Structure formats: C-alpha cells, structure tokens
Amino acid sequence: MKRGALAALALALLAAGTLHAQPAAVQRQVLQRSAGPGEAQEVLLVKVEIAPGASTGRHSHPGVETGYVAEGEVVMEVEGEAPRRLAPGDSYLVPAGRVHDVRAVGDRPARALATFVVERGKPLAIPAAR
C-alpha cells in the first residue's frame, strides 16, 4: 500500500475512533447477564441513561422489560397504551414484542435500571417503523 493511502486510512480510523468516543444520547450498560428461566432465555440487568430531550426511538424487545426510573423524568409511549410520565421511583413493564419509545423530559438526564428477560441470541432491541 502506498504511503499516501496508508496516511489516509490512518486518518479515517482516527476520525472514526473520535466519533465513537463522543457521548451518545442514549447509553446502555449491561451490569449483569445470566441464564433465564427457560433454556432459550437470558436475563439482563441494564443501566440506561437518556440525555435531556433525547429518546430511545421506537423499538421492541424479544422478551419482557421491567424497571424503574432512578433519576430525571421520562415520557414512555407503549403501543396500545396512553403515554405515561414517569418520575424517580416509578416502575414500568413493557410486554414482549410491544413497540415503545422513551423520551427524557426536563433539563436533566434520565437514568433507569431495567431488567430484560429475552430470547438468547436475538438482538436486545429491534428498531420499529414509524
């Protein structure tokens, strides 16, 4: 490979690394992963943070999601239900496969602790069409 091409490749990789290092509007951190109640399931405990005004985007999960809001406030829209405003200490449950979206409201990030009981080997979140 020519020196100029190598320099361009190195610069592109450096720029890509810089973009990935920037904070995302929605951050998820898996705290624990364990076997589920069924052979084809797993349980994940996930810390979720949503920046002020940001949303998770419409999506579903291949299993149940339940959790509680630890900080900030959110509006949760679950398909087939009225939107709900959740504050610290409020809990929620999203049935398996149900499309939903969560948006942080106010000027503080929203933080939640979520537990997922999902099908092993499938993506945790599946984007949904509008």
Side-chain angles (χ1 to χ4, degrees), residues 56-76:
T56 60
R58 291 171 39 86
H59 65 283
S60 64
H61 305 286
V64 174
E65 174 188 358
T66 186
Y68 80 97
V69 177
E71 295 179 43
E73 292 190 19
V74 299
V75 172
M76 176 175 272

Side-chain angles (χ1 to χ4, degrees), residues 32 37-38 42 81 85 101 129:
Q32 184 177 26
E42 63 182 339
E81 300 177 14
R85 189 176 186 109
D101 189 11

Side-chain angles (χ1 to χ4, degrees), residues 82-97:
R84 293 176 42 202
R85 189 176 186 109
L86 302 172
D90 289 340
S91 62
Y92 63 90
L93 182 133
V94 180

Side-chain angles (χ1 to χ4, degrees), residues 11-25:
L11 187 57
L13 289 173
L14 179 62
T18 302
L19 289 175
H20 290 288
Q22 294 177 359

